[in-house]
Amino acid sequence: MEIFQSRDEISQLIKFKESPVIAEIGVFECEFSKKLHSWYNPKELHLFDTFRNFNVVGSGNVDGNDYRETTGEKIYNNAVDAFKNQPNVFLHEGFSNVTVAEMQDEYFDLIYIDGDHSEEGVYNDLINSYNKVKDHGWITGHDFGLNKAKCKNNWDFSGIRRAVSRFCAVKNLQIDALFLDGCISFAIQKKSAIVYYSKSGLVVLK
């Protein structure tokens, strides 16, 4: 497992030969969406959020500090304004268990998850992302745990850790990297098993 000090280093770990197709689930004020767009110059950037389905939405910053609330309407308008001159950016309004599931399988090169923080919500986003990410693509996400050296608050992310651990066990994957902001991000590469037959029998390689 590789360790990085911030998710701002995600582009050091994850590189693409061609312009990728990227998704972010849960965008809040589009801070990270803008960075993904700047780093990767993606062929397409798809932003999934409940947007106007909720009146009040709250979030801290990447370190889990400076918690603030806004409205779903403002989140939507902010996203529209942030990418109004970018025809390769698409907004998907609704619950991610529906909107992401509607996308074509093996379509994305990278998905970043920062939406529903319940254990089942995260697990569903992970399973949906697995189906929608290409082989050797990346499933990444926020709030795997706390780095108390940077986070002033005592957020409980145990459900997210359980969801990620269950997902890795079910899909026979592992966490490939952690990014040590106050709220830790994770990265998992989707790797299909390679199966071949030898004289001694069946051999499976990751």
Side-chain angles (χ1 to χ4, degrees), residues 169-183:
V170 167
K171 295 300 184 182
N172 193 27
L173 296 170
Q174 64 183 14
I175 297 174
D176 292 281
L178 293 175
F179 302 85
L180 303 185
D181 296 295
C183 295

Side-chain angles (χ1 to χ4, degrees), residues 113 116-127 143-144 157-171 175 186 188:
I113 300 170
D116 183 347
H117 280 48
S118 69
E119 181 174 347
E120 287 307 309
V122 173
Y123 184 74
N124 288 336
D125 280 340
L126 288 164
I127 291 295
D143 299 327
F144 180 75
F157 296 141
S158 57
I160 296 176
R161 290 195 299 276
R162 288 193 298 269
V164 173
S165 297
R166 178 156 53 118
F167 168 73
C168 287
V170 167
K171 295 300 184 182
I175 297 174
F186 63 89
I188 299 168

Side-chain angles (χ1 to χ4, degrees), residues 30-134:
C30 288
E31 176 204 5
F32 195 55
S33 314
K34 293 175 184 176
K35 289 182 178 181
L36 289 170
H37 193 272
S38 173
W39 295 335
Y40 289 111
N41 187 26
K43 180 180 178 182
E44 296 176 10
L45 174 61
H46 293 260
L47 304 180
F48 296 87
D49 204 294
T50 54
F51 289 119
R52 294 167 292 185
N53 285 279
F54 284 101
N55 290 327
V56 179
V57 182
S59 178
N61 59 22
V62 69
D63 289 318
N65 304 319
D66 300 326
Y67 180 85
R68 57 201 180 277
E69 292 184 342
T70 187
T71 66
E73 184 77 26
K74 288 182 179 178
I75 290 174
Y76 177 79
N77 290 334
N78 179 66
V80 170
D81 185 62
F83 295 105
K84 61 185 177 183
N85 296 319
Q86 302 294 340
N88 61 339
V89 179
F90 305 90
L91 305 186
H92 302 266
E93 185 171 25
F95 294 90
S96 59
N97 63 322
V98 175
T99 54
V100 176
E102 291 174 340
M103 299 298 293
Q104 178 182 327
D105 286 351
E106 298 186 350
Y107 188 72
F108 295 101
D109 298 286
L110 167 65
I111 296 179
Y112 188 85
I113 300 170
D114 195 14
D116 183 347
H117 280 48
S118 69
E119 181 174 347
E120 287 307 309
V122 173
Y123 184 74
N124 288 336
D125 280 340
L126 288 164
I127 291 295
N128 275 332
S129 295
Y130 181 88
N131 294 331
K132 305 307 171 183
V133 165
K134 300 172 186 175

Side-chain angles (χ1 to χ4, degrees), residues 15-33:
K15 302 179 185 295
F16 302 103
K17 293 180 180 178
E18 300 177 350
S19 294
V21 179
I22 295 176
E24 184 180 17
I25 301 173
V27 304
F28 199 56
E29 296 176 342
C30 288
E31 176 204 5
F32 195 55
S33 314

